[in-house]
């Protein structure tokens, strides 16, 4: 097998403001694993919050290359789990592991002539309504964006919160409700509030039609998050407090949902393990993502039938998605029935 990679820049259609940052662009590292004349692709996106700058991604891929290329074939690497088949290497960051695993899944599927979801245990290609994110912005543009999205087919919208004055967040949600009166609303403060603020504010957001809230308080106090979940009038979904399998297991039965992002947990196998661990606990699965291309989002789309909440809109935030194959512009993401991940390059992006 041969492991290579290319780095490119993904630019957002417009800057996305959340509680802790404003993002206009990010790097994507495209991982390619070649064997027998076929190539499997995966994507690792840079993330300051997750401590994964581009240089660190490349450094780990460089260290892994020799061990990957010693493996006899992609099926062996997939069956043995990529992390377990690379002895002697430092532990790979979750995002890098997820990207390499995606490339293997794509390649194994192409060699077998089977789509990824079938290799993961689902016969029929999953399709699910996804939320679409509205960042921290003024009420008038938020209402206009909500109206446009509703007209395009979106039935669920995620509204970012965390303004210094909570009245601004309430006004934004009210405006979104006006612009898209039939849409289901998910609120995401990205951990902006204290426990007391969350308990005071959530009933007011519920009255505006919010149906669930993601990580209302700062991460690091899962017991406090559980207390908020117990008192909240809407389901509470852990995100920043639910990074690993161990985090998810500790929160099972304590919150209403856990947001699983492949770049946080380490890939589709880890996500399936979390899904199995949550079964019967009263805690449901949410599938989330980072801002990424269709290549980066595709592995999660092949798992979409397992989730109660689907937030796989990262590719829809881009000015120009260099990959295609999972849909989403009409509010529904769909796994392709083509072999592997089922995505294709739309054009030759600038790589470095």
């Amino acid at each position: 097998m041969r492991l290579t990679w290319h780095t490119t820049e993904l630019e957002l259609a417009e800057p996305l403001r959340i509680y802790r940052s404003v993002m206009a662009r990010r790097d994507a590292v495209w991982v390619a694993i070649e064997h027998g004349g076929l190539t499997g692709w995966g994507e690792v996106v840079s993330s300051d919050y997750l401590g994964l700058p581009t240089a660190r991604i490349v450094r780990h891929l460089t260290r892994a290359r020799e061990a990957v290329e010693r493996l006899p074939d992609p099926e062996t690497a997939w069956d043995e789990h990529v992390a377990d088949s690379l002895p002697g290497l430092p532990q790979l960051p979750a995002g890098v592991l997820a990207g390499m695993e995606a490339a293997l899944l794509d390649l194994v599927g192409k060699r077998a002539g089977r789509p990824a979801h079938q290799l993961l245990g689902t016969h029929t290609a999953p399709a699910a309504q996804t939320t679409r994110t509205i960042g921290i912005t003024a009420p008038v543009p938020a209402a206009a964006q909500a109206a446009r999205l509703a007209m395009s087919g979106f039935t669920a919208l995620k509204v970012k919160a965390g303004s210094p004055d909570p009245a601004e967040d309430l006004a934004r949600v009210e405006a979104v409700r006006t612009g898209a009166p039939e849409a289901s609303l998910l609120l995401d403060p990205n951990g902006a509030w204290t426990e007391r603020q969350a308990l005071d504010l959530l009933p007011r957001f519920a009255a505006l039609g919010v149906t669930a809230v993601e990580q209302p308080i700062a991460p690091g106090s899962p017991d406090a998050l559980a207390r908020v979940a117990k008192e909240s009038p809407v389901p509470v979904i852990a995100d920043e407090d639910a990074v690993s399998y161990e985090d998810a297991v500790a929160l099972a039965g304590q919150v209403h949902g856990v947001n699983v992002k492949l770049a946080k947990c380490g890939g589709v196998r880890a996500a399936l393990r979390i899904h199995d661990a949550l079964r019967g606990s009263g805690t449901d699965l949410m599938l989330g993502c980072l801002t990424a291309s269709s290549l980066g989002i595709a592995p999660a789309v092949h798992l979409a039938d397992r989730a109660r909440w689907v937030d796989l809109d990262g590719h829809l935030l881009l000015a120009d998605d260099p990959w295609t194959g999972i849909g989403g512009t009409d509010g529904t993401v769909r796994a392709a029935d083509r072999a592997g991940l089922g995505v294709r390059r739309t054009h030759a992006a600038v790589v470095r």
Side-chain angles (χ1 to χ4, degrees):
M1 295 198 298
R2 181 168 179 258
L3 171 65
T4 58
W5 54 88
H6 313 279
T7 301
T8 190
E9 186 177 76
L10 303 176
E11 185 173 353
L12 277 68
E14 58 184 55
L16 177 66
R17 181 185 174 198
I18 65 174
Y19 162 63
R20 59 176 178 259
S21 64
V22 179
M23 183 176 62
R25 59 188 57 83
R26 74 179 344 145
D27 279 352
V29 180
W30 293 338
V31 179
I33 299 179
E34 302 171 58
H35 187 76
L38 294 173
T39 302
W41 293 92
E43 181 175 86
V44 189
V45 292
S46 62
S47 170
D48 292 337
Y49 182 76
L50 295 178
L52 201 58
T54 307
R56 186 174 179 228
I57 296 170
V58 171
R59 187 163 61 248
H60 278 279
L61 290 171
T62 302
R63 290 174 179 171
R65 172 185 266 161
E66 184 178 350
V68 169
E69 294 184 347
R70 282 201 304 264
L71 296 170
D73 52 60
E75 289 77 16
T76 298
W78 175 256
D79 291 342
E80 293 182 0
H81 300 196
V82 63
D84 298 333
S85 62
L86 303 176
L89 285 176
Q91 184 177 3
L92 292 171
V96 176
L97 178 59
M100 291 178 62
E101 184 192 66
L104 277 174
L105 177 61
D106 189 35
L107 182 54
V108 170
K110 287 174 177 175
R111 282 166 58 85
R114 299 174 64 194
H117 56 267
Q118 291 186 7
L119 299 178
L120 299 173
T122 301
H123 178 72
T124 304
Q129 293 179 339
T130 180
T131 64
R132 179 65 158 77
T133 301
I134 296 176
I136 294 178
T137 187
V140 171
Q145 186 178 3
R148 289 195 301 269
L149 292 170
M151 289 181 63
S152 297
F154 285 87
T155 60
L157 301 174
K158 180 160 90 168
V159 186
K160 291 291 187 176
S163 300
D165 182 355
E168 296 178 10
D169 294 332
L170 289 160
R172 182 180 315 107
V173 170
E174 186 173 12
V176 169
R177 166 57 66 220
T178 300
E182 303 301 321
S184 174
L185 300 185
L186 175 68
L187 187 70
D188 186 8
N190 287 108
W193 300 334
T194 66
E195 181 179 350
R196 184 69 262 163
Q197 284 177 312
L199 293 174
D200 289 343
L201 288 170
L202 285 174
R204 299 176 67 184
F205 282 105
L208 293 174
V210 166
T211 59
V213 62
E214 211 178 321
Q215 195 68 41
I217 66 172
S221 302
D223 290 343
L225 188 65
R227 289 194 296 270
V228 172
K230 185 177 180 180
E231 299 297 327
S232 174
V234 297
V236 171
I237 305 164
D239 182 1
E240 285 86 348
D241 265 325
V243 175
S244 65
Y245 170 83
E246 291 75 17
D247 293 336
V249 170
L251 288 165
Q254 303 300 307
V255 294
H256 303 92
V258 167
N259 186 355
V260 171
K261 298 176 182 174
L262 303 190
K264 287 194 311 180
C265 72
V268 293
R269 273 212 167 94
L272 288 172
R273 190 173 172 224
I274 291 172
H275 174 261
D276 290 344
L278 295 180
R279 186 178 288 119
S281 69
T283 298
D284 293 314
L285 187 72
M286 175 179 181
L287 276 174
C289 65
L290 304 182
T291 304
S293 76
S294 288
L295 171 62
I297 306 296
V301 176
H302 284 274
L303 301 176
D305 57 313
R306 271 95 165 176
R308 175 179 173 184
W309 299 278
V310 174
D311 180 32
L312 299 177
D313 68 338
H315 61 305
L316 303 176
L317 305 180
L318 300 180
D320 184 17
D321 186 354
W323 295 78
T324 187
I326 58 173
T329 56
D330 62 351
T332 300
V333 288
R334 303 169 180 84
D337 264 324
R338 292 184 293 273
L341 294 177
V343 294
R344 299 185 297 247
R345 287 275 290 275
T346 57
H347 57 79
V350 176
V351 297
R352 60 181 191 269

